[in-house]
C-alpha cells in the first residue's frame, strides 16, 4: 500500500493551454479517493500523471514516499483500469487476467493459479475459457479489474470504469468495487463525472473544475459544507436550490447573499405554515417511488422540493414551501464562496 502526494501540479498539453493549474492532493495509503468534476476539467489528465502516462510541467508527484516524477509507469506499482477495459479480444479471460504476469516472467503454472484465484474472488470462474466478445459489459469490467488485481499492485487507478454499463449493473458493480477495496486494502483513485458514484464510493472526494481543485473532503463534508456554489450544486440530487432571498421584500437575509437550500430542507405544505414560507406554483411533479419531486415557481425563482407522496392524494398545483433556515447554506452572491457560521434561524 502506498499513499500518493501531488504537490502544485501543473500541466499543459503540447501547444495547448494549461489544463491543471496547480493541483495539490494528499491521498493516504489504502484510501479510496474519487476525483469528480464536469467533462474537460482535467480528471483523466490527473490520473494519467499519477500513472506516469503523462509528465507534469511543474510540481511533484510522490508515490509511497518516493518522488515519482521521473519513474516509468511500470516502476510505479500502479494498475490502471480504463473506461474501455482494454482487454485483448483474442485472449481468453484466463489469459487476459494473467497477461501482466507473463510479461514479468512468472512461470505458466503459477500464472494460471493466480488468475484462477483472482477469478474466484470476482466470480468469474465459469468464464475463464471465454473470450471478451462472449461476456457481458459487467463481466468484462470484472476481467479488467482481475488483471489489475493479479498484478498485486498497491494502487489502482480507475478512469470511469462503470460508464459503459447499464444502470442496474452500474449500481451492482459499485457495491462490488467498494467490497473489493475493503478486501484488498489498496489505494484507489477513481475518476468519474457522476456525483452519485462519488458520494457512494469515496472515502474522500476531490472536486475538480477547470483544472482547479475546489474541495477535498469526505462525502459528508462535501455534502454538508460545500466550499462554494459550484460544489454545492454539483453534488446531490435533486440539486441544491439557490434562492436570492435578498430580492424579497421584506428580505429575510442581508443583501449580497445567496441562500442554498437542499430539497430536503424544504417542506411542502398545502396551506400557509408558520415561519418562512414561499407561495409556489407547481410547474411539474415527478413521481419518484415513495416521493414526489415538485418543480415550482416562486417569487425567489425556481425551487425543487421533495414531498412524501402519501401526503398528497393528487398532484398539487399550488403549495407553500416552508424553508428550514437552520439548514440553509449561505454563499457570497458575487464570489460564490460559502460564508461560514452564517446559517440563520428565521
Ligand atoms: N492528449 C491531449 N492533447 C491535447 N489536449 C488534451 C489531451 N487530452 C486532454 N486534453 C485537453 O485537456 C483538458 C482536460 O481533459 P481531461 O481528459 O483530463 O478531462 P476530463 O475531466 O477527464 O474530461 P472527461 O470527463 O470528458 O473525460 C480538456 O480541455 C482536453 O481537451
Amino acid at each position: 500500500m502506498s499513499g500518493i502526494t501531488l504537490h502544485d501540479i501543473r500541466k499543459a498539453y503540447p501547444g495547448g493551454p494549461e489544463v491543471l493549474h496547480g493541483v495539490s492532493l494528499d491521498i493516504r495509503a489504502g484510501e479510496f479517493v474519487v476525483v469528480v468534476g464536469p467533462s474537460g476539467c482535467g480528471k483523466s489528465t490527473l490520473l494519467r500523471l499519477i500513472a506516469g502516462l503523462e509528465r507534469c510541467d511543474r510540481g511533484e508527484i510522490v508515490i509511497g514516499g518516493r518522488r515519482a516524477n521521473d519513474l516509468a509507469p511500470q516502476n510505479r506499482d500502479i494498475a490502471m483500469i480504463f473506461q474501455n477495459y482494454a482487454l485483448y479480444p483474442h485472449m481468453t479471460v484466463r489469459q487476459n487476467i494473467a497477461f501482466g504476469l507473463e510479461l514479468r516472467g512468472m512461470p505458466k503454472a503459477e500464472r494460471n493459479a493466480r488468475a484462477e484465484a483472482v477469478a474466484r474472488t470476482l466470480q468469474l470462474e465459469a468464464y475463464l475459457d471465454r473470450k471478451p466478445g462472449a461476456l457481458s459489459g459487467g463481466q468484462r469490467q470484472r476481467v479488467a479489474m482481475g488483471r489489475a488485481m493479479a498484478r498485486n499492485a498497491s494502487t489502482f487507478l480507475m478512469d470511469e470504469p462503470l460508464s459503459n454499463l447499464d444502470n442496474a449493473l452500474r449500481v451492482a458493480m459499485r457495491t462490488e468495487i467498494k467490497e473489493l477495496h475493503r478486501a484488498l486494502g489498496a489505494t484507489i483513485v477513481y475518476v468519474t463525472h457522476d456525483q452519485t458514484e462519488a458520494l457512494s464510493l469515496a472515502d474522500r472526494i476531490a472536486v475538480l473544475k477547470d483544472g482547479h481543485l475546489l474541495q477535498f473532503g469526505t462525502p459528508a463534508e462535501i455534502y454538508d459544507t460545500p466550499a462554494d456554489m459550484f460544489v454545492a450544486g454539483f453534488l446531490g440530487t435533486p440539486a441544491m436550490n439557490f434562492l436570492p432571498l435578498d430580492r424579497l421584500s421584506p428580505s429575510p437575509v442581508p443583501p449580497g447573499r445567496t441562500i442554498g437550500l437542499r430539497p430536503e430542507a424544504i417542506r411542502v405544505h398545502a396551506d400557509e405554515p408558520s415561519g418562512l414560507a414561499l407561495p409556489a406554483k407547481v410547474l411539474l411533479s415527478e413521481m419518484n417511488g415513495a416521493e414526489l419531486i415538485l418543480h415550482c415557481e416562486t417569487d425567489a425563482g425556481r425551487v425543487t422540493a421533495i414531498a412524501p407522496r402519501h401526503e398528497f392524494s393528487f398532484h398539487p398545483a399550488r403549495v407553500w414551501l416552508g424553508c428550514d433556515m437552520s439548514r440553509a447554506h449561505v454563499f457570497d452572491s458575487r464570489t460564490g464562496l460559502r460564508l461560514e457560521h452564517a446559517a440563520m434561524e428565521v
Side-chain angles (χ1 to χ4, degrees):
M1 267 200 300
S2 50
I4 300 170
T5 303
L6 306 179
H7 181 66
D8 197 23
I9 298 294
R10 291 178 179 269
K11 170 73 183 167
Y13 287 99
E18 193 173 82
V19 297
L20 292 174
H21 310 292
V23 173
S24 297
L25 264 185
D26 206 351
I27 299 168
R28 298 180 198 122
E31 196 171 25
F32 197 140
V33 167
V34 177
V35 181
V36 72
S39 180
C41 69
K43 306 182 291 293
S44 299
T45 302
L46 196 68
L47 214 59
R48 294 171 62 80
L49 285 165
I50 298 174
L53 301 172
E54 299 286 347
R55 289 183 63 89
C56 56
D57 303 322
R58 228 186 69 185
E60 193 173 46
I61 302 176
V62 177
I63 301 175
R66 251 195 327 169
R67 183 182 152 93
N69 289 46
D70 305 314
L71 277 185
Q74 63 270 24
N75 296 331
R76 296 189 180 203
D77 194 18
I78 275 176
M80 184 143 174
I81 299 166
F82 296 95
Q83 188 173 42
N84 58 11
Y85 315 142
L87 299 179
Y88 296 103
H90 59 284
M91 291 184 186
T92 63
V93 167
R94 180 185 280 101
Q95 289 165 332
N96 264 291
I97 293 179
F99 183 69
L101 308 177
E102 187 174 349
L103 284 181
R104 287 162 180 227
M106 188 184 279
K108 185 168 181 186
E110 203 180 321
R111 268 189 341 246
N112 281 344
R114 174 85 69 85
E116 279 158 29
V118 166
R120 254 195 310 282
T121 311
L122 292 170
Q123 295 177 7
L124 284 170
E125 285 162 294
Y127 310 100
L128 276 165
D129 295 313
R130 285 205 202 169
K131 292 186 178 159
L135 299 175
S136 72
Q139 290 160 349
R140 280 181 216 167
Q141 207 273 342
R142 273 183 273 163
V143 177
M145 301 266 300
R147 191 165 54 189
M149 282 166 61
R151 285 184 40 200
N152 252 338
S154 63
T155 301
F156 291 61
L157 306 180
M158 305 188 182
D159 194 350
E160 306 240 8
L162 306 184
S163 61
N164 290 334
L165 307 180
D166 66 49
N167 193 41
L169 198 50
R170 205 157 54 224
V171 173
M173 283 306 295
R174 218 151 65 194
T175 314
E176 264 183 48
I177 290 179
K178 193 84 183 146
E179 279 168 9
L180 261 176
H181 174 245
R182 209 163 286 153
L184 300 175
T187 310
I188 298 184
V189 187
Y190 183 109
V191 157
T192 181
H193 62 270
D194 181 339
Q195 52 87 29
T196 319
E197 229 166 82
L199 286 170
S200 71
L201 281 173
D203 292 326
R204 283 194 292 171
I205 299 175
V207 186
L208 210 58
K209 182 183 176 237
D210 299 335
H212 294 280
L213 180 70
L214 298 186
Q215 193 168 6
F216 186 38
T218 65
E221 282 164 358
I222 301 250
Y223 191 83
D224 295 337
T225 52
D228 68 9
M229 287 170 68
F230 176 82
V231 176
F234 192 73
L235 286 112
T237 41
M240 184 185 284
N241 296 290
F242 294 112
L243 304 178
L245 292 182
D246 55 351
R247 273 199 236 142
L248 298 182
S249 169
S251 164
V253 299
R257 293 187 178 185
T258 297
I259 297 301
L261 278 175
R262 294 205 182 273
E264 61 267 27
I266 296 174
R267 194 152 155 63
V268 181
H269 301 266
D271 302 305
E272 184 172 7
S274 58
L276 178 65
L278 303 170
K281 182 178 161 193
V282 181
L283 302 175
L284 184 71
S285 62
E286 284 176 69
M287 209 288 242
N288 183 29
E291 292 163 334
L292 282 181
I293 300 176
L294 303 178
H295 301 273
C296 305
E297 183 75 50
T298 74
D299 287 346
R302 290 276 183 106
V303 176
T304 303
I306 300 174
R309 196 154 58 92
H310 67 83
E311 288 183 6
F312 293 89
S313 55
F314 56 95
H315 282 209
R318 287 193 168 276
V319 293
W320 286 86
L321 301 177
C323 302
D324 181 352
M325 297 301 275
S326 68
R327 295 165 78 184
H329 301 258
V330 186
F331 301 99
D332 181 309
S333 305
R334 194 177 52 81
T335 62
L337 291 175
R338 173 187 198 80
L339 296 169
E340 288 298 339
H341 314 301
M344 53 193 74
E345 302 273 356
V346 171

